Amino acid sequence: MSLRQFEYALAVAEQGSVTAAAEVLRVAQPSVSQQIRGLERDLGVELFSRTPTGLVPTVAGRSFLREAEIAVNAARRARATARAGADELVGELVVAVQMGLGARQLPGALSALRRRFPRLEVTVFEEPNPTELERLARGGVIDLALMAGPCEEGLYDGHHLGDEEFVVVLPAGHPALAADRVGLRELEREPWVRFDTASALDGVLVDVLRDNGLAPATVARVSQTATAVRWAVHGLGVTFVPASAVPPGHEHLVRPVSPAVSQPVVAAVRPGAGPAETALLEFLRQETWFKFGQSWVAPPSATSSAPVV
């Protein structure tokens, strides 16, 4: 068996056909077919079943492909590390971010990383579903992840970067904007713009509402923090997001809540991290991870301003 065979099998699984996989891999179709047949012969199992919609991995194939993905990703990182010189690094760095975290800090850190390693390719996944985030991590896909709370021991090393306070976003002219903080019980009658039920962000809100004995109406569910903020600003309802997820220009419509809600922000890095992960971690440490006391909100006099869109 060879790494090339692993890559071909993964491409076939992703594309659903040998023809499409060959196009993605930029090789001849017979070459892909030959490599898959040779791999199945070496393994002594059938990896794919032919269906009306294309090739689908068998039970044995799915088990094999999970391990093949880990092997291919490990080889990719090994190649990148081997090619790293004193001032140059090539290859790909895969970063996953729990939705809503690091919206202001990550771009600056990635820009600094880009300046240090201009040939490094960086892929960022904003992943709202903690289960999917864990699946990607276990599959060896992720090099560094930004997440709330601790990471699983042994799989990644956790580095506490700071704490992210959650804030409520209100429409212009809302009476609660006159206060420095908004009591959650004051918002009991407000409609809420919420997030997908499987997302970590909605999980935070569910816990907060339960802990305060609230069961408000949900007017809409969205998949991006910027959308939730825009809809709240235009009066559809109120929303609840990490402070750094509020886009510039909307700060005067934001207030921390009482009792305060915050989460630790952790950078989860694979043990034995390479130069790219190490550099990005250092740049993230240099960013400001706010509590709301380091306030960037406009004074209450700005509450009558029109929303910025």
Side-chain angles (χ1 to χ4, degrees), residues 76-95 109-110 112-114 116-118 120-122 143-144 269-284:
R76 168 179 54 79
R77 287 191 297 273
R79 283 196 297 265
T81 302
R83 293 173 183 170
D87 300 309
E88 184 178 35
L89 186 69
V90 297
E92 182 188 21
L93 181 73
V94 179
V95 179
L110 289 176
L113 183 70
R114 177 79 175 172
R116 178 174 294 186
F117 302 122
L120 180 69
E121 295 182 13
V122 180
D143 297 310
L144 183 147
V269 182
R270 190 186 311 281
E277 299 96 310
T278 302
L280 180 56
L281 175 61
E282 182 55 35
F283 290 134
L284 287 168

Side-chain angles (χ1 to χ4, degrees), residues 220-231:
R221 289 188 182 273
V222 299
S223 58
Q224 298 294 325
T225 53
T227 302
V229 171
R230 285 197 299 270
W231 288 14

Side-chain angles (χ1 to χ4, degrees), residues 241-255:
V241 297
S244 65
V246 177
H250 297 298
E251 294 92 341
H252 62 291
L253 300 175
V254 168
R255 291 294 180 271

Side-chain angles (χ1 to χ4, degrees), residues 120-159:
L120 180 69
E121 295 182 13
V122 180
T123 300
V124 180
F125 295 103
E126 187 179 49
E127 180 50 67
N129 188 324
T131 302
E132 181 65 11
L133 188 62
E134 182 179 353
R135 188 192 71 80
L136 292 173
R138 288 187 175 279
V141 176
I142 299 170
D143 297 310
L144 183 147
L146 277 186
M147 57 194 297
C151 57
E152 186 174 340
E153 292 184 11
L155 191 60
Y156 285 81
D157 293 331
H159 302 266

Side-chain angles (χ1 to χ4, degrees), residues 45 80 139 171 194 248 289 294:
V45 297
R194 295 177 58 177
W289 297 87
Q294 301 162 281

